[in-house]
Amino acid sequence: MSHGHEPARGVAEGAGHQIGLSSRERIRWTPAELYSEQVTATARKRLLWWTPAWLSLVAALLLSLLGIEAISTTRPDSAAKQGTFLLIGLVAAAIVATPSYRWYRRAIIALSIVVLALLVFVLLPFVPESIVRPRNGSRSWIALGPMDFQPSELAKTVYILALAAWLSQTQIHRTLRGYIAVVGLTLLPIGLIVLEPDLGSALLFLPTMAAMVIAAGTKKRHVIASVVLAAIMVPVAYGFVLKPYQRARIDAIIAQISGDTRFEKREGFQGWRAMRLVGSGGVLGVGEEHARALVTFNGLPEEHNDMIFAVVCCRWGLAGGIALWGSFLLFAVGGLATAAICRDPFGRLAAVGIVAISFTQMTINTGMTIGLLPITGITLPFVSYGGSSLLATWLNVGLLINIGLRRPKVDERSYLDE
Amino acid sequence: MPGIFHRRLLLLLAVFVIVAGLLAAQLARLAIVEGEMHARQTETFLRRRTFLPFVRGRILDRNGTVLAEDRASWDVQVEYAMIAGRWSAEKARAQARRELGANAWAKLTRDQRSAEVDARLPSWNERAEAIYAEICVAGGIDRAELDRRFDEIRGRVAQRVEAYRERLRKAAEAKAIEQGTSVAEIPEDETISEQEEPHTILADVDDATAFRFQLLSEEERDTIVVMPATQRLRPWAEVELDVDRRSLPSPLQSDRPLHLRLSGVADHIIGATRTRVFTEDLKRRPFLDERSGEVADLGGYRADRDVIGATGVERTLEDRLRGVRGVVERNLETGEATRREPVAGEDVRLTIDIKLQSWVQAALEPKLGLAKIQQWQRGWDADGEAKPGPLPVGWELNGSVVVLDIATGDILALVTTPTLAEASGMSAERRRSEGADINKAVEGVYPPGSIVKPLLYAAAVTQGVLPADLAVDCKGHFFENVTTSARCWIWRPEQGRSSTHGTLAVEEAIARSCNIYFYTVASKLGLEDVVAWYRRFGVGEPFGVGLGMAKDRSDGGVRMEGESGGVAPDAEAMKAIRASGDRSAPIFLGIGQGPIAWTPLHAANAYATLARRGDLIRPGIILDRADRGVRAPSTSLGLDATAVRKALNGLSDSVRQTYGTGNHLTLESGVQEPLTDVPGVRVWAKTGTAQAPPLRIDSGKKESADVVVRTDHAWFVGLVGNEREGTPRYAIAVLLEFGGSGGKTAGPIAAEVIRALVREGYLEGSGRKGSP
């Protein structure tokens, strides 16, 4: 059994676990090679390892604490609850980080089936309202006693794992057919989530997929063609697919960006209120008391939830916004560095996916709050109030730490480096 | 050189940084560049402004009697949920939701929820019953009445809902046809605003009751709303008085006074307010700026509902009567409040004496019998047979009276019939034919007829074209060989009346109202000068007494809406008259006929001007106007003193001498009754009978055509003063539309006006009354 000093490239003999295919060579590792040190190391020893995933953990903690403080501006009770959720999230992250992430890979088929089943379940018309209670007209929640749960949150993580597994298994995504198959796989959860309907969550999958296939080395022309196609699809969707209320939101945001206040009292109400509160914060914010009064009496809806960024900017100003984005960048740097150090294609791609989906969700949420994107019901990861969403994001953090703590040997090379 | 995977990661990181940079750039723009603007906007939500209503100014008469004033009053409204009976269910549901918590509530099934609601319903039902009972007690109505009012509102709202749904259905059908699709379903749960709003259950309650309801509404939310509903009171709109009938012409005499109930006293003058707001109001004086939505003018008009002067002085003095709202601005964050008190509108005093006005309106009330066709107006023939007349006996006449203070130009009384209140029940057509919507005293134009005779005489003497002592021989006709036109009224050979006036001096000519004398006056003056003198006496220009509104005309000139200037021929028209070669047309103007017309106010003002020897004072109805009583010597007509004396003597003879047209009424079997012999009063007066347009009378039957009647307007214009003083104090103009002969119809009414002046103390010896 050779590991470590044997060149990773080259054809290993025996009952190898085939992790990548290329026209030029095959890479095989035995399970022992892959899991030797990680499996044998004690949890205590692993925790002392330096990994850039700790950066992401720090960033996530900062963001969560910032969120609790921001929530407490108008809703101290909710902030206390969020504190509890954070503890639960931390425990969940620790649990997720404990078994090697490669086990998740083995269970990916089962996980995918479970998630798809749940996504279908919430759509079933005969499921009683005591189990699937529509919120704001959307069937996306399953009642689970103390904490309701959104299958789409779980779907995001499982999707990342599934896509990472697939892209690390084959290089078929480098062909057009393979690329289309990847897009098809992505459209499956998107379709189910759009049906709920929860357009906001559905929007996250394509940018995440894009980040992952780019990291996996898809052909440039496919990416460019996709972007061009998407650009063409936008007006088509606007004209034929979107419902009138959705079109109105797009009209409103275009008007808002161009400073046209026509929609301020109608479709653009929420967006304008949020944007004006953001602007009111100035450079350093107005402080807790005044921010509370401004947010309350401006009647900003969902101020502790989807609109929490408006509270952050109102209370701490431009500085608060920059700190928040800085934390997200720190989270991204930590995650991408984890991917960079990791030698396992699956781990690499999963780390990229986790960073991408968090960053995308942050971009959409803060973008809509500062008046650059239309309003969609989507939370700000780590910061927004809500147990289900906080738990889901902390599961991702746990996964990232998991990947960070299980590096293969330094001189291993992934096919992704070619 | 990093590996390809690392390069891809760097690419992703670069994308993230760029995205974060873009977001930060937008945030910087919002926070730094636009920060102040947004802060201003969001800060506005921290301030809650409530506006305090102002009191509209009062309208007073010259003695300070209140004619119109605001009285604070309140409407008690009940929320529709209570009226519809869904209030307790809504409350029970809210309570259940609150007690269980929103999350737990969200998890309940429909059945579980209704069980929770039902458990809490009975106590809320009891509460609702208690509130209904309190409404009944506080409002002084019984429960059945309350239910009846609720039913009425429910019925009305249900109708509205049906009408609204019908409109939606129609629109959906139209859309379906247009697009060729099937008709869209109308959503069942769509509500209209009336289903969410409170409705008035008790209108016009006093402060104490309103306060009780206010407490009730604070005790239990979403039940009752107390709304300010200030009432405009007009205490003199309805007047009851007893008219002494002992001094009336004997056919109407009685020892028992006649009890009259007058409605709409002075309502053409005082006017009314409206609550509908028109675009022009909002353009003129908006409360909120149209674009910014900010308060533009605290005294401005609100688009939804406001109180605006619609007619009369309420309209012309709108800006003075209207006050300015107060503001309470509360900072919701700190709880601090600043308060700016409302400013009440200005009180306005009119020159009108409302008691005198009432007596004058009583004289014009057909029930008294004077403003009616009576047989004495038609006369009796030599055999004692009653003569026929164009209008049936008992026909009710509309008219107008103006009483003017000569020294100040104050209008003491200005009556027009029917009043707006009397006309309120009339059909639109009848209102038009009765001229109910115009104030006849200042808007109605009539040919002056003989009443201009003394004026033109004084004018001609002043002009120097006529010797003051000119005597004229009345041969019955003016032109030498023409016996069919330009005749004296007395000379009707074809009717067997061929007597003439003979040679007359001006006094007798005025007293007898000889046409030939004044044809002579007009012919000496000439067409242009006759018209010029008419204009000097005010014809052609509205006075602007305070009842009209100046409006820009499309041709750039100014038109007075609500006051008329009368009609006088312009240069063009005079040229046409000259060109026609009609010799009689210019001289007809000498007896007030032809293309000339004025209002009763013009008549009174012209006589006042004569009494002032030509000094012009603008008449007015607002007591505190700046130019009140100001003589304008520079524009004095400078009437010749002798001529004025002679003209006044003629007017005096007209009532004093038995041959005077204003001296007496001739009753059945030749009995003569003096017309204006009021003890202690000196009267100078002139009768006038002026051509009226054909009067079309609806026959009342469909098959027969309307009857067209030719008759005249009746004038009686004069000056009155204290007997001992011997100088005129007041000018009176009486006009009866289609009244026929001036002396016989308008005369007795003028006599009643004079008695009213006496009764109100205007003609006592010790100087003039009522000039503050």
Side-chain angles (χ1 to χ4, degrees):
Chain A
M1 295 290 235
S2 69
H3 58 82
H5 301 290
E6 288 289 329
R9 220 181 307 186
V11 182
E13 298 294 326
H17 186 80
Q18 183 180 319
I19 57 160
L21 277 172
S22 91
S23 52
R24 281 169 285 163
E25 54 202 305
R26 286 181 185 168
I27 306 160
R28 286 163 195 270
W29 282 294
T30 62
E33 278 178 322
L34 286 169
Y35 305 128
S36 55
E37 193 177 357
Q38 287 77 13
V39 174
T40 52
T42 62
R44 191 162 156 267
K45 189 179 167 195
R46 273 206 301 274
L47 282 175
L48 295 174
W49 289 353
W50 188 88
T51 160
W54 296 131
L55 284 181
S56 297
L57 175 73
V58 169
L61 263 176
L62 284 175
L63 287 167
S64 298
L65 294 173
L66 181 76
I68 291 170
E69 188 57 28
I71 292 164
S72 78
T73 312
T74 56
R75 309 207 181 193
D77 296 352
S78 299
K81 270 195 201 164
Q82 182 81 343
T84 317
F85 292 146
L86 176 58
L87 289 179
I88 295 171
L90 287 170
V91 171
I95 293 170
V96 167
T98 307
S100 169
Y101 68 91
R102 291 174 176 90
W103 291 105
Y104 303 130
R105 179 183 178 166
R106 292 197 167 174
I108 194 62
I109 303 282
L111 283 173
S112 301
I113 288 169
V114 168
V115 160
L116 288 176
L118 286 171
L119 287 178
V120 171
F121 176 76
V122 292
L123 294 177
L124 296 177
F126 53 80
V127 175
E129 288 196 350
S130 56
I131 300 172
V132 175
R133 175 89 196 135
R135 290 190 189 180
N136 300 331
S138 157
R139 293 173 68 92
S140 51
W141 293 81
I142 295 176
L144 277 186
M147 196 158 77
D148 289 358
F149 141 85
Q150 241 182 324
S152 58
E153 294 282 7
L154 193 60
K156 288 184 216 165
T157 307
V158 171
Y159 167 78
I160 290 167
L161 294 176
L163 189 60
W166 192 13
L167 295 179
S168 59
Q169 194 92 345
T170 77
Q171 295 202 42
I172 197 164
H173 56 276
R174 294 190 176 182
T175 66
L176 182 60
R177 257 176 56 204
Y179 181 75
I180 290 170
V182 168
V183 174
L185 171 78
T186 310
L187 287 178
L188 189 61
I190 290 182
L192 289 169
I193 293 170
V194 164
L195 283 177
E196 288 177 358
D198 181 3
L199 201 59
S201 298
L203 276 174
L204 300 174
F205 286 84
L206 284 175
T208 307
M209 180 204 83
M212 287 172 74
V213 294
I214 287 168
T218 196
K219 289 276 184 282
K220 262 184 215 151
R221 60 173 181 273
H222 294 158
V223 177
I224 291 166
S226 306
V227 171
V228 170
L229 194 64
I232 293 167
M233 283 304 288
V234 165
V236 173
Y238 177 85
F240 298 101
V241 182
L242 291 186
K243 301 200 170 76
Y245 79 92
Q246 292 167 328
R247 270 207 290 273
R249 280 187 185 174
I250 305 223
D251 293 344
I253 191 66
I254 291 169
Q256 191 178 339
I257 292 169
S258 53
D260 177 351
T261 55
R262 252 184 315 150
F263 295 96
E264 180 160 3
K265 301 234 161 66
R266 297 182 283 143
E267 288 85 354
F269 165 78
Q270 205 177 343
W272 271 101
R273 280 292 153 82
M275 193 174 90
R276 290 203 186 280
L277 282 169
V278 165
S280 303
V283 178
L284 292 173
V286 298
E288 186 181 355
E289 296 278 306
H290 197 49
R292 176 182 307 132
L294 282 178
V295 171
T296 306
F297 294 116
N298 274 264
L300 180 67
E302 302 286 338
E303 89 285 355
H304 63 312
N305 197 336
D306 296 357
M307 285 297 173
I308 192 69
F309 187 63
V311 178
V312 169
C313 291
C314 185
R315 186 166 162 188
W316 293 291
L318 178 63
I322 302 267
L324 186 138
W325 286 320
S327 302
F328 269 100
L329 279 179
L330 182 65
F331 181 83
V333 166
L336 294 180
T338 305
I341 290 170
C342 180
R343 295 285 158 193
D344 167 24
F346 171 71
R348 288 185 153 183
L349 294 178
V352 169
I354 287 165
V355 168
I357 204 157
S358 310
F359 206 85
T360 307
Q361 192 166 342
M362 178 279 287
T363 305
I364 294 176
N365 179 280
T366 56
M368 78 184 186
T369 310
I370 59 176
L372 286 177
L373 294 170
I375 304 288
T376 51
I378 197 172
T379 56
L380 182 55
F382 304 113
V383 187
S384 283
Y385 173 78
S388 176
S389 115
L390 192 67
L391 184 62
T393 44
W394 274 96
L395 286 183
N396 288 349
V397 177
L399 209 52
L400 202 56
I401 293 169
N402 195 329
I403 296 163
L405 294 180
R406 289 182 176 78
R407 292 165 296 178
K409 286 294 177 192
V410 190
D411 48 358
E412 272 184 355
R413 288 205 67 181
S414 166
Y415 81 90
L416 291 172
D417 288 330
E418 291 155 22
Chain B
M1 183 68 191
I4 187 144
F5 177 69
H6 293 153
R7 290 213 298 273
R8 290 179 198 141
L9 293 181
L10 286 174
L11 170 71
L12 287 176
L13 186 61
V15 170
F16 292 164
V17 170
I18 289 168
V19 167
L22 285 176
L23 291 171
Q26 163 74 351
L27 179 57
R29 184 171 80 106
L30 291 179
I32 298 168
V33 183
E34 299 175 355
E36 264 179 53
M37 186 251 292
H38 292 309
R40 244 193 337 270
Q41 277 281 333
T42 52
E43 297 278 343
T44 60
F45 289 96
L46 296 182
R47 295 190 304 270
R48 180 156 302 160
R49 260 187 304 196
T50 35
F51 297 100
L52 307 171
F54 59 81
V55 176
R56 191 175 171 83
R58 297 180 301 169
I59 299 174
L60 310 169
D61 89 338
R62 66 184 297 112
N63 301 316
T65 310
V66 174
L67 304 182
E69 68 179 329
D70 273 3
R71 195 198 62 203
S73 146
W74 309 87
D75 282 353
V76 177
Q77 303 186 324
V78 175
E79 289 287 351
Y80 191 72
M82 283 214 110
I83 296 172
R86 54 167 207 244
W87 179 81
S88 19
E90 281 178 9
K91 283 284 175 182
R93 192 184 168 85
Q95 188 195 9
R97 207 187 137 93
R98 198 169 51 244
E99 285 172 3
L100 296 176
N103 280 334
W105 179 258
K107 282 174 207 151
L108 295 183
T109 63
R110 202 161 282 162
D111 292 342
Q112 286 170 318
R113 285 183 192 179
S114 46
E116 292 288 347
V117 171
D118 286 345
R120 291 164 178 84
L121 197 54
S123 70
W124 285 107
N125 277 335
E126 265 173 49
R127 187 78 193 104
E129 281 305 318
I131 291 167
Y132 294 145
E134 285 203 54
I135 294 172
C136 289
V137 172
I141 55 172
D142 62 13
R143 186 56 208 273
E145 171 63 18
L146 183 70
D147 285 339
R148 198 191 60 70
R149 291 185 190 183
F150 280 179
D151 275 344
E152 196 184 298
I153 292 164
R154 278 197 294 265
R156 205 165 57 221
V157 171
Q159 268 179 13
R160 288 276 182 97
V161 171
E162 201 28 64
Y164 172 69
R165 295 184 60 79
E166 185 60 36
R167 267 208 312 281
L168 286 186
R169 258 195 298 279
K170 288 247 171 71
E173 275 168 25
K175 197 175 169 196
I177 291 166
E178 189 189 314
Q179 303 185 342
T181 54
S182 60
V183 179
E185 276 294 308
I186 309 294
E188 274 298 325
D189 54 353
E190 190 130 10
T191 56
I192 62 172
S193 58
E194 279 89 342
Q195 288 168 292
E196 315 292 337
E197 288 168 351
H199 295 257
T200 300
I201 285 289
L202 302 168
D204 189 21
V205 304
D206 58 24
D207 283 359
T209 314
F211 186 65
R212 284 180 68 173
F213 278 108
Q214 186 61 42
L215 289 183
L216 192 58
S217 74
E218 280 162 17
E219 203 174 297
E220 192 65 75
R221 285 171 53 190
D222 310 325
T223 53
I224 288 167
V225 179
V226 178
M227 287 286 285
T230 301
Q231 300 261 315
R232 190 79 171 152
L233 296 188
R234 304 183 199 287
W236 281 79
E238 302 272 327
V239 175
E240 292 192 37
L241 37 73
D242 292 305
V243 183
D244 183 354
R245 286 188 284 184
R246 285 170 303 184
S247 48
L248 293 183
S250 54
L252 300 178
Q253 267 175 19
S254 164
D255 284 337
R256 275 192 317 121
L258 179 70
H259 185 77
L260 280 181
R261 177 192 289 266
L262 305 175
S263 63
V265 174
D267 64 3
H268 275 105
I269 301 168
I270 300 164
T273 52
R274 58 181 154 93
T275 51
R276 249 188 82 196
V277 183
F278 302 137
T279 321
E280 58 193 79
D281 302 320
L282 296 177
K283 227 176 252 168
R284 193 172 71 85
R285 200 175 170 191
F287 174 48
L288 299 176
D289 184 81
E290 198 183 337
R291 263 183 306 164
S292 69
E294 294 288 309
V295 173
D297 178 356
L298 281 171
Y301 300 104
R302 282 171 46 150
D304 44 354
R305 187 186 181 277
D306 212 321
V307 176
I308 304 165
T311 53
V313 171
E314 293 274 22
R315 178 172 78 128
T316 54
L317 297 185
E318 168 71 6
D319 288 342
R320 279 178 62 185
L321 289 166
R322 196 174 169 78
V324 180
R325 290 179 187 84
V327 196
V328 177
E329 199 165 284
R330 200 182 303 279
N331 186 322
L332 296 173
E333 190 181 358
T334 62
E336 285 166 22
T338 56
R339 187 183 171 95
R340 199 165 120 193
E341 293 300 328
V343 181
E346 222 182 297
D347 286 353
V348 170
R349 262 175 104 162
L350 304 182
T351 57
I352 295 292
D353 178 332
I354 195 66
K355 282 179 160 175
L356 183 71
Q357 174 91 6
S358 305
W359 287 117
V360 173
Q361 189 180 324
L364 277 173
E365 169 59 53
K367 282 197 195 86
L368 186 64
L370 296 177
K372 254 186 189 176
I373 295 297
Q374 301 284 2
Q375 189 58 45
W376 77 67
Q377 296 153 7
R378 304 157 140 202
W380 289 264
D381 64 17
D383 306 326
E385 286 292 312
K387 283 191 199 165
L391 289 168
V393 169
W395 178 267
E396 296 185 354
L397 300 168
N398 290 326
S400 169
V401 173
V402 176
V403 180
L404 200 61
D405 186 324
I406 293 168
T408 59
D410 286 357
I411 298 169
L412 300 177
L414 186 121
V415 180
T416 179
T417 58
T419 62
L420 292 171
E422 287 165 346
S424 63
M426 294 179 184
S427 67
E429 201 188 337
R430 174 121 187 262
R431 284 179 84 101
R432 225 178 0 261
S433 71
E434 303 245 357
D437 292 310
I438 65 162
N439 186 344
K440 296 184 175 75
V442 290
E443 281 182 279
V445 293
Y446 312 91
S450 300
I451 57 175
V452 298
K453 286 172 178 173
L455 305 173
L456 286 181
Y457 162 77
V461 175
T462 305
Q463 180 99 342
V465 296
L466 198 78
D469 52 2
L470 175 80
V472 170
D473 180 20
C474 168
K475 295 197 289 283
H477 53 96
F478 179 71
F479 295 113
E480 203 60 38
N481 298 316
V482 183
T483 57
T484 53
S485 101
R487 306 188 295 186
C488 193
W489 61 272
I490 197 173
W491 193 67
R492 290 288 183 276
E494 67 276 10
Q495 292 172 19
R497 298 198 328 236
S498 48
S499 60
T500 62
H501 285 125
T503 303
L504 296 160
V506 71
E507 291 88 344
E508 200 181 339
I510 290 171
R512 291 185 185 274
S513 198
C514 174
N515 286 356
I516 305 304
Y517 194 99
F518 296 96
Y519 289 147
T520 312
V521 171
S523 70
K524 296 261 188 220
L525 270 173
L527 175 65
E528 278 75 10
D529 279 336
V530 170
V531 171
W533 276 99
Y534 269 117
R535 289 192 183 275
R536 280 173 208 149
F537 278 109
V539 181
E541 280 295 318
F543 295 109
V545 296
L547 292 171
M549 296 278 275
K551 298 262 164 154
D552 290 338
R553 238 171 14 198
S554 54
D555 63 3
V558 178
R559 178 172 58 96
M560 183 75 82
E561 196 183 85
E563 288 183 36
S564 171
V567 182
D570 55 15
E572 203 102 326
M574 286 190 278
K575 212 183 275 172
I577 292 171
R578 285 236 177 279
S580 73
D582 181 358
R583 287 187 297 166
S584 51
I587 61 162
F588 275 154
L589 286 171
I591 61 161
Q593 301 287 6
I596 194 85
W598 64 6
T599 69
L601 178 63
H602 278 97
N605 182 63
Y607 271 59
T609 306
L610 180 71
R612 291 186 300 250
R613 286 208 214 146
D615 285 354
L616 295 173
I617 295 179
R618 192 149 74 117
I621 201 139
I622 316 300
L623 194 64
D624 48 2
R625 70 203 159 99
D627 62 348
R628 171 176 178 261
V630 174
R631 283 163 199 260
S634 60
T635 54
S636 174
L637 305 180
L639 295 177
D640 180 85
T642 315
V644 169
R645 186 168 43 76
K646 281 177 171 292
L648 289 178
N649 286 342
L651 290 170
S652 180
D653 287 350
S654 163
V655 295
R656 281 186 169 181
Q657 304 296 336
T658 50
Y659 57 75
T661 52
N663 175 257
H664 59 266
L665 287 179
T666 304
L667 300 173
E668 199 164 4
S669 50
V671 176
Q672 292 191 346
E673 271 182 19
L675 205 48
T676 60
D677 68 330
V678 183
V681 177
R682 177 95 190 264
V683 180
W684 299 258
K686 180 76 198 77
T687 60
T689 305
Q691 269 177 12
L695 176 61
R696 193 171 286 277
I697 300 169
D698 189 350
S699 62
K701 295 178 201 125
K702 271 201 181 129
E703 61 273 21
S704 52
D706 292 353
V707 183
V708 177
V709 173
R710 297 239 46 150
T711 181
D712 300 310
H713 293 316
W715 282 105
F716 192 98
V717 181
L719 303 163
V720 291
N722 182 277
E723 176 83 78
R724 270 176 294 132
E725 260 172 28
T727 51
R729 285 190 199 164
Y730 308 106
I732 300 170
V734 179
L735 173 97
L736 268 291
E737 286 185 339
F738 309 105
S741 161
K744 294 167 191 164
T745 312
I749 291 173
E752 277 302 294
V753 174
I754 293 165
R755 286 190 193 98
L757 280 166
V758 172
R759 198 177 298 121
E760 292 304 316
Y762 281 92
L763 287 166
E764 272 155 27
S766 53
R768 285 185 12 257
K769 186 212 165 186
S771 297

